Amino acid sequence: MQIAEVVETVVTVAANEWKYLADVEVRVAEDLPDLSVYPGEFNQMLLNLLVNAAHAVKDAVAVGKYEKDSIEITAERVNE
């Protein structure tokens, strides 16, 4: 499973959670290996993280801390 594909799918699926509150920036390195994980569980974990981030931004916007914020998703290789 390609990490970039999973992230893109999750960002699209969760768009209703963040599209009016934040800009989502995705940076996925091209040299990442395929994942050896259970796809459904991994997708759900990423979805939960993104939705939680969107809710945190929503809370900050509600108290006037921000007008609109950003959510960054980064995947990169560190060492081996």
mmCIF file of all heavy atoms in Angstrom, residues 14-64:
data_model
loop_
_atom_site.group_PDB
_atom_site.id
_atom_site.type_symbol
_atom_site.label_atom_id
_atom_site.label_comp_id
_atom_site.label_asym_id
_atom_site.label_seq_id
_atom_site.Cartn_x
_atom_site.Cartn_y
_atom_site.Cartn_z
ATOM 1 N N ALA A 14 -12.398 13.101 4.398
ATOM 2 C CA ALA A 14 -12.653 13.968 5.555
ATOM 3 C C ALA A 14 -12.845 15.437 5.182
ATOM 4 O O ALA A 14 -12.935 16.287 6.060
ATOM 5 C CB ALA A 14 -11.501 13.842 6.551
ATOM 6 N N ALA A 15 -12.947 15.737 3.920
ATOM 7 C CA ALA A 15 -13.018 17.134 3.476
ATOM 8 C C ALA A 15 -14.129 17.921 4.153
ATOM 9 O O ALA A 15 -13.950 19.099 4.476
ATOM 10 C CB ALA A 15 -13.163 17.208 1.959
ATOM 11 N N ASN A 16 -15.263 17.314 4.390
ATOM 12 C CA ASN A 16 -16.368 18.041 5.031
ATOM 13 C C ASN A 16 -16.039 18.465 6.454
ATOM 14 O O ASN A 16 -16.632 19.400 6.973
ATOM 15 C CB ASN A 16 -17.642 17.200 5.026
ATOM 16 C CG ASN A 16 -18.294 17.170 3.664
ATOM 17 O OD1 ASN A 16 -18.130 18.082 2.868
ATOM 18 N ND2 ASN A 16 -19.023 16.109 3.398
ATOM 19 N N GLU A 17 -15.099 17.779 7.078
ATOM 20 C CA GLU A 17 -14.704 18.117 8.442
ATOM 21 C C GLU A 17 -13.810 19.355 8.495
ATOM 22 O O GLU A 17 -13.798 20.064 9.480
ATOM 23 C CB GLU A 17 -13.967 16.950 9.105
ATOM 24 C CG GLU A 17 -14.812 15.730 9.337
ATOM 25 C CD GLU A 17 -15.828 15.921 10.449
ATOM 26 O OE1 GLU A 17 -15.620 16.765 11.337
ATOM 27 O OE2 GLU A 17 -16.838 15.200 10.436
ATOM 28 N N TRP A 18 -13.011 19.581 7.450
ATOM 29 C CA TRP A 18 -12.003 20.641 7.517
ATOM 30 C C TRP A 18 -12.138 21.735 6.479
ATOM 31 O O TRP A 18 -11.570 22.805 6.647
ATOM 32 C CB TRP A 18 -10.593 20.039 7.420
ATOM 33 C CG TRP A 18 -10.339 19.242 6.176
ATOM 34 C CD1 TRP A 18 -10.419 17.888 6.048
ATOM 35 C CD2 TRP A 18 -9.972 19.738 4.888
ATOM 36 N NE1 TRP A 18 -10.131 17.511 4.762
ATOM 37 C CE2 TRP A 18 -9.853 18.635 4.016
ATOM 38 C CE3 TRP A 18 -9.739 21.013 4.376
ATOM 39 C CZ2 TRP A 18 -9.509 18.758 2.679
ATOM 40 C CZ3 TRP A 18 -9.399 21.134 3.028
ATOM 41 C CH2 TRP A 18 -9.288 20.015 2.209
ATOM 42 N N LYS A 19 -12.875 21.550 5.409
ATOM 43 C CA LYS A 19 -12.794 22.454 4.252
ATOM 44 C C LYS A 19 -13.131 23.914 4.542
ATOM 45 O O LYS A 19 -12.604 24.799 3.884
ATOM 46 C CB LYS A 19 -13.624 21.934 3.092
ATOM 47 C CG LYS A 19 -15.112 21.909 3.311
ATOM 48 C CD LYS A 19 -15.797 21.330 2.089
ATOM 49 C CE LYS A 19 -17.263 21.149 2.332
ATOM 50 N NZ LYS A 19 -17.918 20.539 1.179
ATOM 51 N N TYR A 20 -13.969 24.199 5.520
ATOM 52 C CA TYR A 20 -14.298 25.592 5.825
ATOM 53 C C TYR A 20 -13.463 26.163 6.968
ATOM 54 O O TYR A 20 -13.487 27.352 7.221
ATOM 55 C CB TYR A 20 -15.788 25.731 6.169
ATOM 56 C CG TYR A 20 -16.679 25.315 5.038
ATOM 57 C CD1 TYR A 20 -17.497 24.202 5.152
ATOM 58 C CD2 TYR A 20 -16.682 26.022 3.839
ATOM 59 C CE1 TYR A 20 -18.318 23.802 4.097
ATOM 60 C CE2 TYR A 20 -17.500 25.631 2.784
ATOM 61 C CZ TYR A 20 -18.307 24.519 2.919
ATOM 62 O OH TYR A 20 -19.099 24.131 1.878
ATOM 63 N N LEU A 21 -12.719 25.299 7.639
ATOM 64 C CA LEU A 21 -11.968 25.712 8.823
ATOM 65 C C LEU A 21 -10.470 25.797 8.612
ATOM 66 O O LEU A 21 -9.784 26.513 9.330
ATOM 67 C CB LEU A 21 -12.222 24.716 9.963
ATOM 68 C CG LEU A 21 -13.673 24.524 10.362
ATOM 69 C CD1 LEU A 21 -13.803 23.329 11.284
ATOM 70 C CD2 LEU A 21 -14.182 25.787 11.035
ATOM 71 N N ALA A 22 -9.963 25.011 7.666
ATOM 72 C CA ALA A 22 -8.513 24.902 7.540
ATOM 73 C C ALA A 22 -8.116 24.592 6.105
ATOM 74 O O ALA A 22 -8.921 24.107 5.314
ATOM 75 C CB ALA A 22 -7.995 23.792 8.458
ATOM 76 N N ASP A 23 -6.868 24.898 5.835
ATOM 77 C CA ASP A 23 -6.244 24.444 4.600
ATOM 78 C C ASP A 23 -5.405 23.228 4.980
ATOM 79 O O ASP A 23 -4.672 23.266 5.972
ATOM 80 C CB ASP A 23 -5.344 25.529 4.014
ATOM 81 C CG ASP A 23 -6.135 26.755 3.597
ATOM 82 O OD1 ASP A 23 -7.203 26.588 2.971
ATOM 83 O OD2 ASP A 23 -5.699 27.874 3.901
ATOM 84 N N VAL A 24 -5.524 22.160 4.226
ATOM 85 C CA VAL A 24 -4.745 20.959 4.513
ATOM 86 C C VAL A 24 -3.581 20.903 3.539
ATOM 87 O O VAL A 24 -3.763 20.980 2.323
ATOM 88 C CB VAL A 24 -5.611 19.688 4.408
ATOM 89 C CG1 VAL A 24 -4.759 18.444 4.544
ATOM 90 C CG2 VAL A 24 -6.690 19.707 5.477
ATOM 91 N N GLU A 25 -2.385 20.818 4.096
ATOM 92 C CA GLU A 25 -1.171 20.716 3.294
ATOM 93 C C GLU A 25 -0.603 19.314 3.479
ATOM 94 O O GLU A 25 -0.389 18.861 4.606
ATOM 95 C CB GLU A 25 -0.151 21.756 3.750
ATOM 96 C CG GLU A 25 1.101 21.748 2.930
ATOM 97 C CD GLU A 25 2.088 22.812 3.362
ATOM 98 O OE1 GLU A 25 1.668 23.808 3.986
ATOM 99 O OE2 GLU A 25 3.270 22.636 3.090
ATOM 100 N N VAL A 26 -0.378 18.628 2.372
ATOM 101 C CA VAL A 26 0.131 17.261 2.405
ATOM 102 C C VAL A 26 1.511 17.226 1.770
ATOM 103 O O VAL A 26 1.695 17.696 0.650
ATOM 104 C CB VAL A 26 -0.819 16.297 1.652
ATOM 105 C CG1 VAL A 26 -0.262 14.893 1.626
ATOM 106 C CG2 VAL A 26 -2.213 16.322 2.271
ATOM 107 N N ARG A 27 2.458 16.678 2.528
ATOM 108 C CA ARG A 27 3.812 16.489 2.011
ATOM 109 C C ARG A 27 4.214 15.042 2.291
ATOM 110 O O ARG A 27 4.449 14.670 3.439
ATOM 111 C CB ARG A 27 4.794 17.443 2.686
ATOM 112 C CG ARG A 27 4.598 18.888 2.303
ATOM 113 C CD ARG A 27 5.703 19.776 2.872
ATOM 114 N NE ARG A 27 5.884 19.621 4.300
ATOM 115 C CZ ARG A 27 5.320 20.379 5.224
ATOM 116 N NH1 ARG A 27 4.512 21.360 4.885
ATOM 117 N NH2 ARG A 27 5.546 20.169 6.505
ATOM 118 N N VAL A 28 4.255 14.250 1.240
ATOM 119 C CA VAL A 28 4.637 12.845 1.376
ATOM 120 C C VAL A 28 5.855 12.610 0.494
ATOM 121 O O VAL A 28 5.813 12.837 -0.718
ATOM 122 C CB VAL A 28 3.485 11.903 0.968
ATOM 123 C CG1 VAL A 28 3.923 10.456 1.058
ATOM 124 C CG2 VAL A 28 2.263 12.144 1.843
ATOM 125 N N ALA A 29 6.932 12.158 1.102
ATOM 126 C CA ALA A 29 8.169 11.892 0.362
ATOM 127 C C ALA A 29 7.943 10.769 -0.642
ATOM 128 O O ALA A 29 7.186 9.827 -0.398
ATOM 129 C CB ALA A 29 9.280 11.524 1.334
ATOM 130 N N GLU A 30 8.616 10.884 -1.763
ATOM 131 C CA GLU A 30 8.452 9.894 -2.834
ATOM 132 C C GLU A 30 9.220 8.603 -2.574
ATOM 133 O O GLU A 30 8.930 7.588 -3.193
ATOM 134 C CB GLU A 30 8.891 10.498 -4.161
ATOM 135 C CG GLU A 30 8.013 11.636 -4.612
ATOM 136 C CD GLU A 30 8.474 12.243 -5.924
ATOM 137 O OE1 GLU A 30 9.285 11.607 -6.630
ATOM 138 O OE2 GLU A 30 8.015 13.342 -6.235
ATOM 139 N N ASP A 31 10.191 8.632 -1.676
ATOM 140 C CA ASP A 31 11.041 7.458 -1.463
ATOM 141 C C ASP A 31 10.549 6.535 -0.352
ATOM 142 O O ASP A 31 11.277 5.664 0.122
ATOM 143 C CB ASP A 31 12.470 7.898 -1.154
ATOM 144 C CG ASP A 31 12.602 8.628 0.182
ATOM 145 O OD1 ASP A 31 11.574 9.147 0.677
ATOM 146 O OD2 ASP A 31 13.723 8.685 0.710
ATOM 147 N N LEU A 32 9.308 6.674 0.055
ATOM 148 C CA LEU A 32 8.789 5.841 1.133
ATOM 149 C C LEU A 32 8.455 4.445 0.620
ATOM 150 O O LEU A 32 7.925 4.288 -0.483
ATOM 151 C CB LEU A 32 7.545 6.481 1.744
ATOM 152 C CG LEU A 32 7.767 7.822 2.417
ATOM 153 C CD1 LEU A 32 6.442 8.384 2.896
ATOM 154 C CD2 LEU A 32 8.747 7.697 3.564
ATOM 155 N N PRO A 33 8.724 3.432 1.434
ATOM 156 C CA PRO A 33 8.385 2.066 1.015
ATOM 157 C C PRO A 33 6.885 1.823 1.121
ATOM 158 O O PRO A 33 6.161 2.582 1.767
ATOM 159 C CB PRO A 33 9.143 1.207 2.036
ATOM 160 C CG PRO A 33 9.221 2.057 3.251
ATOM 161 C CD PRO A 33 9.348 3.481 2.744
ATOM 162 N N ASP A 34 6.434 0.757 0.481
ATOM 163 C CA ASP A 34 5.042 0.342 0.656
ATOM 164 C C ASP A 34 4.833 -0.059 2.112
ATOM 165 O O ASP A 34 5.761 -0.495 2.805
ATOM 166 C CB ASP A 34 4.717 -0.853 -0.237
ATOM 167 C CG ASP A 34 4.576 -0.469 -1.699
ATOM 168 O OD1 ASP A 34 4.518 0.733 -1.995
ATOM 169 O OD2 ASP A 34 4.521 -1.379 -2.539
ATOM 170 N N LEU A 35 3.610 0.077 2.576
ATOM 171 C CA LEU A 35 3.280 -0.285 3.945
ATOM 172 C C LEU A 35 2.838 -1.741 4.041
ATOM 173 O O LEU A 35 2.116 -2.231 3.175
ATOM 174 C CB LEU A 35 2.150 0.592 4.465
ATOM 175 C CG LEU A 35 2.437 2.063 4.626
ATOM 176 C CD1 LEU A 35 1.169 2.795 5.026
ATOM 177 C CD2 LEU A 35 3.523 2.295 5.647
ATOM 178 N N SER A 36 3.270 -2.401 5.090
ATOM 179 C CA SER A 36 2.807 -3.755 5.383
ATOM 180 C C SER A 36 1.905 -3.670 6.609
ATOM 181 O O SER A 36 2.318 -3.989 7.718
ATOM 182 C CB SER A 36 3.995 -4.678 5.654
ATOM 183 O OG SER A 36 4.806 -4.792 4.514
ATOM 184 N N VAL A 37 0.706 -3.177 6.390
ATOM 185 C CA VAL A 37 -0.249 -2.982 7.477
ATOM 186 C C VAL A 37 -1.624 -3.451 7.018
ATOM 187 O O VAL A 37 -1.833 -3.733 5.844
ATOM 188 C CB VAL A 37 -0.334 -1.495 7.904
ATOM 189 C CG1 VAL A 37 0.993 -1.000 8.428
ATOM 190 C CG2 VAL A 37 -0.806 -0.620 6.754
ATOM 191 N N TYR A 38 -2.559 -3.485 7.954
ATOM 192 C CA TYR A 38 -3.943 -3.746 7.593
ATOM 193 C C TYR A 38 -4.516 -2.448 7.044
ATOM 194 O O TYR A 38 -4.620 -1.453 7.773
ATOM 195 C CB TYR A 38 -4.743 -4.212 8.803
ATOM 196 C CG TYR A 38 -4.307 -5.561 9.326
ATOM 197 C CD1 TYR A 38 -3.621 -5.664 10.529
ATOM 198 C CD2 TYR A 38 -4.582 -6.715 8.606
ATOM 199 C CE1 TYR A 38 -3.212 -6.895 11.011
ATOM 200 C CE2 TYR A 38 -4.175 -7.946 9.080
ATOM 201 C CZ TYR A 38 -3.490 -8.032 10.279
ATOM 202 O OH TYR A 38 -3.089 -9.244 10.741
ATOM 203 N N PRO A 39 -4.868 -2.410 5.768
ATOM 204 C CA PRO A 39 -5.301 -1.155 5.143
ATOM 205 C C PRO A 39 -6.465 -0.483 5.851
ATOM 206 O O PRO A 39 -6.457 0.733 6.049
ATOM 207 C CB PRO A 39 -5.683 -1.562 3.718
ATOM 208 C CG PRO A 39 -5.018 -2.868 3.490
ATOM 209 C CD PRO A 39 -4.876 -3.521 4.827
ATOM 210 N N GLY A 40 -7.475 -1.214 6.233
ATOM 211 C CA GLY A 40 -8.647 -0.617 6.872
ATOM 212 C C GLY A 40 -8.314 0.066 8.180
ATOM 213 O O GLY A 40 -8.744 1.195 8.433
ATOM 214 N N GLU A 41 -7.524 -0.603 8.992
ATOM 215 C CA GLU A 41 -7.147 -0.037 10.286
ATOM 216 C C GLU A 41 -6.245 1.177 10.122
ATOM 217 O O GLU A 41 -6.381 2.169 10.836
ATOM 218 C CB GLU A 41 -6.464 -1.092 11.166
ATOM 219 C CG GLU A 41 -7.409 -2.108 11.754
ATOM 220 C CD GLU A 41 -7.675 -3.280 10.824
ATOM 221 O OE1 GLU A 41 -7.237 -3.254 9.652
ATOM 222 O OE2 GLU A 41 -8.336 -4.236 11.264
ATOM 223 N N PHE A 42 -5.324 1.118 9.171
ATOM 224 C CA PHE A 42 -4.423 2.248 8.940
ATOM 225 C C PHE A 42 -5.201 3.457 8.422
ATOM 226 O O PHE A 42 -5.004 4.581 8.884
ATOM 227 C CB PHE A 42 -3.320 1.870 7.956
ATOM 228 C CG PHE A 42 -2.240 2.897 7.846
ATOM 229 C CD1 PHE A 42 -1.274 3.028 8.829
ATOM 230 C CD2 PHE A 42 -2.197 3.764 6.756
ATOM 231 C CE1 PHE A 42 -0.275 3.984 8.738
ATOM 232 C CE2 PHE A 42 -1.204 4.726 6.658
ATOM 233 C CZ PHE A 42 -0.249 4.839 7.654
ATOM 234 N N ASN A 43 -6.094 3.232 7.480
ATOM 235 C CA ASN A 43 -6.942 4.317 6.968
ATOM 236 C C ASN A 43 -7.758 4.936 8.094
ATOM 237 O O ASN A 43 -7.889 6.159 8.179
ATOM 238 C CB ASN A 43 -7.884 3.808 5.881
ATOM 239 C CG ASN A 43 -7.198 3.530 4.573
ATOM 240 O OD1 ASN A 43 -5.971 3.572 4.473
ATOM 241 N ND2 ASN A 43 -7.968 3.204 3.563
ATOM 242 N N GLN A 44 -8.320 4.097 8.956
ATOM 243 C CA GLN A 44 -9.142 4.595 10.067
ATOM 244 C C GLN A 44 -8.303 5.420 11.030
ATOM 245 O O GLN A 44 -8.753 6.464 11.517
ATOM 246 C CB GLN A 44 -9.800 3.430 10.810
ATOM 247 C CG GLN A 44 -10.792 3.887 11.866
ATOM 248 C CD GLN A 44 -11.977 4.622 11.258
ATOM 249 O OE1 GLN A 44 -12.613 4.126 10.338
ATOM 250 N NE2 GLN A 44 -12.289 5.807 11.762
ATOM 251 N N MET A 45 -7.070 4.999 11.293
ATOM 252 C CA MET A 45 -6.186 5.748 12.186
ATOM 253 C C MET A 45 -5.885 7.124 11.602
ATOM 254 O O MET A 45 -5.988 8.131 12.302
ATOM 255 C CB MET A 45 -4.884 4.966 12.401
ATOM 256 C CG MET A 45 -3.877 5.630 13.321
ATOM 257 S SD MET A 45 -2.680 6.730 12.520
ATOM 258 C CE MET A 45 -1.950 5.706 11.268
ATOM 259 N N LEU A 46 -5.558 7.186 10.327
ATOM 260 C CA LEU A 46 -5.294 8.485 9.693
ATOM 261 C C LEU A 46 -6.547 9.358 9.679
ATOM 262 O O LEU A 46 -6.467 10.563 9.925
ATOM 263 C CB LEU A 46 -4.773 8.295 8.267
ATOM 264 C CG LEU A 46 -3.328 7.883 8.118
ATOM 265 C CD1 LEU A 46 -2.989 7.671 6.647
ATOM 266 C CD2 LEU A 46 -2.398 8.911 8.720
ATOM 267 N N LEU A 47 -7.673 8.757 9.385
ATOM 268 C CA LEU A 47 -8.930 9.501 9.379
ATOM 269 C C LEU A 47 -9.214 10.089 10.761
ATOM 270 O O LEU A 47 -9.577 11.257 10.883
ATOM 271 C CB LEU A 47 -10.079 8.601 8.932
ATOM 272 C CG LEU A 47 -11.460 9.235 8.867
ATOM 273 C CD1 LEU A 47 -11.492 10.377 7.853
ATOM 274 C CD2 LEU A 47 -12.509 8.198 8.522
ATOM 275 N N ASN A 48 -9.016 9.292 11.806
ATOM 276 C CA ASN A 48 -9.237 9.783 13.170
ATOM 277 C C ASN A 48 -8.317 10.957 13.486
ATOM 278 O O ASN A 48 -8.755 11.943 14.089
ATOM 279 C CB ASN A 48 -9.016 8.669 14.189
ATOM 280 C CG ASN A 48 -10.097 7.612 14.149
ATOM 281 O OD1 ASN A 48 -11.134 7.789 13.533
ATOM 282 N ND2 ASN A 48 -9.832 6.490 14.785
ATOM 283 N N LEU A 49 -7.047 10.873 13.106
ATOM 284 C CA LEU A 49 -6.108 11.969 13.354
ATOM 285 C C LEU A 49 -6.546 13.248 12.641
ATOM 286 O O LEU A 49 -6.513 14.341 13.220
ATOM 287 C CB LEU A 49 -4.701 11.582 12.912
ATOM 288 C CG LEU A 49 -3.963 10.580 13.781
ATOM 289 C CD1 LEU A 49 -2.660 10.149 13.098
ATOM 290 C CD2 LEU A 49 -3.672 11.164 15.148
ATOM 291 N N LEU A 50 -6.953 13.112 11.387
ATOM 292 C CA LEU A 50 -7.357 14.282 10.620
ATOM 293 C C LEU A 50 -8.644 14.898 11.174
ATOM 294 O O LEU A 50 -8.747 16.123 11.313
ATOM 295 C CB LEU A 50 -7.523 13.931 9.140
ATOM 296 C CG LEU A 50 -7.885 15.071 8.201
ATOM 297 C CD1 LEU A 50 -6.907 16.236 8.338
ATOM 298 C CD2 LEU A 50 -7.935 14.584 6.768
ATOM 299 N N VAL A 51 -9.609 14.073 11.522
ATOM 300 C CA VAL A 51 -10.860 14.580 12.084
ATOM 301 C C VAL A 51 -10.600 15.241 13.436
ATOM 302 O O VAL A 51 -11.154 16.313 13.731
ATOM 303 C CB VAL A 51 -11.915 13.454 12.192
ATOM 304 C CG1 VAL A 51 -13.116 13.888 13.020
ATOM 305 C CG2 VAL A 51 -12.362 13.024 10.795
ATOM 306 N N ASN A 52 -9.743 14.649 14.258
ATOM 307 C CA ASN A 52 -9.404 15.265 15.547
ATOM 308 C C ASN A 52 -8.729 16.616 15.347
ATOM 309 O O ASN A 52 -9.012 17.572 16.073
ATOM 310 C CB ASN A 52 -8.500 14.346 16.369
ATOM 311 C CG ASN A 52 -9.236 13.149 16.921
ATOM 312 O OD1 ASN A 52 -10.458 13.093 16.923
ATOM 313 N ND2 ASN A 52 -8.481 12.175 17.387
ATOM 314 N N ALA A 53 -7.836 16.707 14.372
ATOM 315 C CA ALA A 53 -7.184 17.988 14.077
ATOM 316 C C ALA A 53 -8.217 19.014 13.623
ATOM 317 O O ALA A 53 -8.184 20.178 14.041
ATOM 318 C CB ALA A 53 -6.112 17.798 13.005
ATOM 319 N N ALA A 54 -9.153 18.596 12.783
ATOM 320 C CA ALA A 54 -10.199 19.512 12.316
ATOM 321 C C ALA A 54 -11.064 19.991 13.480
ATOM 322 O O ALA A 54 -11.431 21.172 13.545
ATOM 323 C CB ALA A 54 -11.063 18.830 11.258
ATOM 324 N N HIS A 55 -11.363 19.120 14.418
ATOM 325 C CA HIS A 55 -12.164 19.518 15.580
ATOM 326 C C HIS A 55 -11.394 20.491 16.463
ATOM 327 O O HIS A 55 -11.986 21.444 17.008
ATOM 328 C CB HIS A 55 -12.603 18.298 16.380
ATOM 329 C CG HIS A 55 -13.634 17.471 15.686
ATOM 330 N ND1 HIS A 55 -14.070 16.262 16.162
ATOM 331 C CD2 HIS A 55 -14.323 17.668 14.533
ATOM 332 C CE1 HIS A 55 -14.977 15.759 15.351
ATOM 333 N NE2 HIS A 55 -15.149 16.604 14.348
ATOM 334 N N ALA A 56 -10.088 20.283 16.599
ATOM 335 C CA ALA A 56 -9.274 21.213 17.383
ATOM 336 C C ALA A 56 -9.251 22.593 16.737
ATOM 337 O O ALA A 56 -9.356 23.616 17.412
ATOM 338 C CB ALA A 56 -7.857 20.672 17.537
ATOM 339 N N VAL A 57 -9.138 22.621 15.409
ATOM 340 C CA VAL A 57 -9.169 23.896 14.690
ATOM 341 C C VAL A 57 -10.537 24.543 14.862
ATOM 342 O O VAL A 57 -10.639 25.749 15.109
ATOM 343 C CB VAL A 57 -8.835 23.704 13.191
ATOM 344 C CG1 VAL A 57 -9.126 24.955 12.397
ATOM 345 C CG2 VAL A 57 -7.378 23.284 13.020
ATOM 346 N N LYS A 58 -11.589 23.759 14.765
ATOM 347 C CA LYS A 58 -12.947 24.286 14.933
ATOM 348 C C LYS A 58 -13.104 24.933 16.306
ATOM 349 O O LYS A 58 -13.688 26.020 16.431
ATOM 350 C CB LYS A 58 -13.966 23.171 14.758
ATOM 351 C CG LYS A 58 -15.402 23.617 14.860
ATOM 352 C CD LYS A 58 -16.341 22.439 14.634
ATOM 353 C CE LYS A 58 -17.786 22.881 14.728
ATOM 354 N NZ LYS A 58 -18.710 21.755 14.506
ATOM 355 N N ASP A 59 -12.590 24.284 17.335
ATOM 356 C CA ASP A 59 -12.669 24.837 18.687
ATOM 357 C C ASP A 59 -11.904 26.154 18.789
ATOM 358 O O ASP A 59 -12.366 27.109 19.420
ATOM 359 C CB ASP A 59 -12.128 23.842 19.714
ATOM 360 C CG ASP A 59 -13.019 22.614 19.873
ATOM 361 O OD1 ASP A 59 -14.187 22.650 19.413
ATOM 362 O OD2 ASP A 59 -12.532 21.613 20.441
ATOM 363 N N ALA A 60 -10.720 26.218 18.171
ATOM 364 C CA ALA A 60 -9.915 27.447 18.207
ATOM 365 C C ALA A 60 -10.610 28.575 17.447
ATOM 366 O O ALA A 60 -10.589 29.726 17.876
ATOM 367 C CB ALA A 60 -8.526 27.185 17.631
ATOM 368 N N VAL A 61 -11.227 28.246 16.326
ATOM 369 C CA VAL A 61 -11.958 29.252 15.546
ATOM 370 C C VAL A 61 -13.163 29.746 16.348
ATOM 371 O O VAL A 61 -13.471 30.936 16.365
ATOM 372 C CB VAL A 61 -12.382 28.683 14.171
ATOM 373 C CG1 VAL A 61 -13.365 29.596 13.471
ATOM 374 C CG2 VAL A 61 -11.156 28.447 13.286
ATOM 375 N N ALA A 62 -13.837 28.843 17.044
ATOM 376 C CA ALA A 62 -15.041 29.199 17.805
ATOM 377 C C ALA A 62 -14.757 30.201 18.920
ATOM 378 O O ALA A 62 -15.600 31.047 19.218
ATOM 379 C CB ALA A 62 -15.678 27.946 18.396
ATOM 380 N N VAL A 63 -13.576 30.132 19.510
ATOM 381 C CA VAL A 63 -13.244 31.076 20.587
ATOM 382 C C VAL A 63 -12.507 32.300 20.058
ATOM 383 O O VAL A 63 -12.051 33.134 20.824
ATOM 384 C CB VAL A 63 -12.409 30.408 21.714
ATOM 385 C CG1 VAL A 63 -13.201 29.300 22.371
ATOM 386 C CG2 VAL A 63 -11.075 29.913 21.206
ATOM 387 N N GLY A 64 -12.420 32.413 18.751
ATOM 388 C CA GLY A 64 -11.817 33.591 18.146
ATOM 389 C C GLY A 64 -10.306 33.588 18.084
ATOM 390 O O GLY A 64 -9.694 34.604 17.775
#
